[in-house]
Amino acid sequence: MSRQLPGHHFMLTFTVPESLRRFIRSHQRAAYSALFKASSEAIKKLAADGKHAGGDLPGFFGVLHTWGRTLEYHPHIHYVAAGGALSTKDRTWHSSRIDFYLPVKALSKIFRAKFRDEMQAAGLIHEIPPDVWETEWNVNCQAVGESSASLKYLSPYVFKVAISNNRIVKVENRIVTFRYKKSHSERWRTMALDVMEFIRRFLQHVLPTGFMKVRYFGFMNSNCKVGLDTISGLIELAYGFDVEQPVIELEPWQPIACPYCGGALKLRAIVLKNGTVIRPG
């Protein structure tokens, strides 16, 4: 999404049962694609229901995330969705409630059913433990107000890998020690793993070649014939043009500092991938 839309937004997270993770890890390209397709179609189906948004053209984008804080395998998809949907029948914006977008239990059932259909079509259904289809799949949906908060949360997952160098404390005697934080805690902890176990955990998060882990749907898809300017105008019209655009406050510039000692650094040169050296001034 190139810019923020007016109105309220929601973050949705689609996860799978633990018993399905081994299968997904062994069939990443097919399973990841099926996760995107099943979850996005679940959102579209319920958004079109008149009991909810009641529009056949919602707008949302998703990011595939596969790792936990200690590099364990935990595939799930985060979505940011505009709070409502466009109806192509009456060309009006149908807003959702500020505190409610779509029912998570219904999303969960549709998500599970559509993923099963995808695996059936791919000829992989027999490799999945039968209890997976009897387990409730977890879907979370929460209001985030204007979209910048959710974008700030998701942005690290777009460009970062499972673990950065500054979290690795030391590598000694075939033991890798790294830092991590538990959920809902700001205290750093350390974990020590055998080097081969560390490599195994890290490599399971390498995506298949060319796989796109960020995808856009509905009116946020670049192929949509309805532009974002039109959508923005229709949202404002639905609100009686009484929609305040969020004010973005830029953080003050911070001098470049060493990630290890905290000392100030001075930019000497930038080396491009082709070997070209660019020096300031």
Side-chain angles (χ1 to χ4, degrees):
M1 187 168 59
S2 59
R3 60 178 177 79
Q4 297 182 57
L5 289 171
H8 53 285
H9 296 75
F10 293 84
M11 178 177 287
L12 299 95
T13 304
F14 288 77
T15 61
V16 298
E18 185 175 354
S19 55
L20 185 59
R21 295 176 189 174
R22 181 184 293 271
F23 167 82
I24 293 178
R25 189 173 54 195
S26 299
H27 303 83
Q28 292 184 15
R29 189 177 295 277
Y32 290 161
S33 295
L35 288 178
F36 268 117
K37 186 173 182 180
S39 56
S40 63
E41 289 187 354
I43 294 174
K44 292 177 183 178
K45 182 178 179 65
L46 287 183
D49 192 325
K51 293 184 294 185
H52 307 301
D56 58 322
L57 190 61
F60 54 99
F61 71 94
V63 180
L64 173 68
H65 186 204
T66 64
W67 63 85
R69 297 168 189 264
T70 56
L71 303 183
E72 68 273 18
Y73 189 70
H74 177 42
H76 54 284
I77 297 178
H78 293 292
Y79 286 105
V80 175
L86 172 68
S87 171
T88 58
K89 296 179 180 179
D90 58 20
R91 297 289 293 181
T92 60
W93 177 257
H94 292 228
S95 179
S96 68
R97 281 170 31 189
I98 293 178
D99 60 343
F100 179 83
Y101 183 47
L102 298 172
V104 294
K105 287 188 175 180
L107 281 172
S108 172
K109 292 180 180 179
I110 298 171
F111 175 41
R112 181 180 61 189
K114 289 187 175 293
F115 185 86
R116 182 173 184 172
D117 290 344
E118 289 299 308
M119 294 299 96
Q120 185 77 53
L124 297 172
I125 193 75
H126 63 284
E127 297 187 32
I128 298 176
D131 66 288
V132 165
W133 313 119
E134 305 300 324
T135 305
E136 289 191 7
W137 292 29
N138 186 32
V139 178
N140 178 265
C141 180
Q142 65 181 91
V144 293
E146 49 92 13
S147 60
S148 62
S150 52
L151 291 174
K152 184 176 181 180
Y153 174 81
L154 285 180
S155 57
Y157 299 131
V158 177
F159 300 106
K160 287 186 178 181
V161 293
I163 188 170
S164 55
N165 289 339
N166 60 7
R167 283 179 55 201
I168 299 177
V169 178
K170 64 179 178 179
V171 181
E172 187 176 72
N173 297 326
R174 293 183 58 83
I175 299 296
V176 180
T177 304
F178 63 93
R179 303 184 302 157
Y180 72 97
K181 291 180 181 179
K182 284 188 175 181
S183 181
H184 308 299
S185 172
E186 290 301 316
R187 182 169 70 87
W188 284 105
R189 294 169 168 82
T190 59
M191 175 174 284
L193 296 175
D194 176 79
V195 63
M196 296 307 295
E197 171 60 14
F198 177 84
I199 292 173
R200 184 195 71 81
R201 291 196 186 192
F202 180 82
L203 290 180
Q204 64 187 350
H205 306 297
V206 177
L207 296 176
T209 303
F211 189 86
M212 301 298 293
K213 67 176 180 178
V214 182
R215 302 191 181 188
Y216 297 82
F217 302 89
F219 63 74
M220 290 188 188
N221 188 291
S222 59
N223 293 324
C224 181
K225 295 180 179 179
V226 183
L228 286 181
D229 287 335
T230 301
I231 295 292
S232 182
L234 290 172
I235 294 175
E236 291 179 338
L237 180 62
Y239 280 87
F241 295 97
D242 188 24
V243 180
E244 293 185 3
Q245 289 287 355
V247 177
I248 302 175
E249 295 183 2
L250 298 178
E251 296 182 0
W253 181 84
Q254 298 292 334
I256 304 173
C258 174
Y260 300 101
C261 69
L265 298 178
K266 184 176 181 180
L267 179 61
R268 294 293 187 183
I270 299 174
V271 181
L272 303 181
K273 289 184 178 181
N274 61 6
T276 303
V277 178
I278 302 175
R279 301 184 187 278

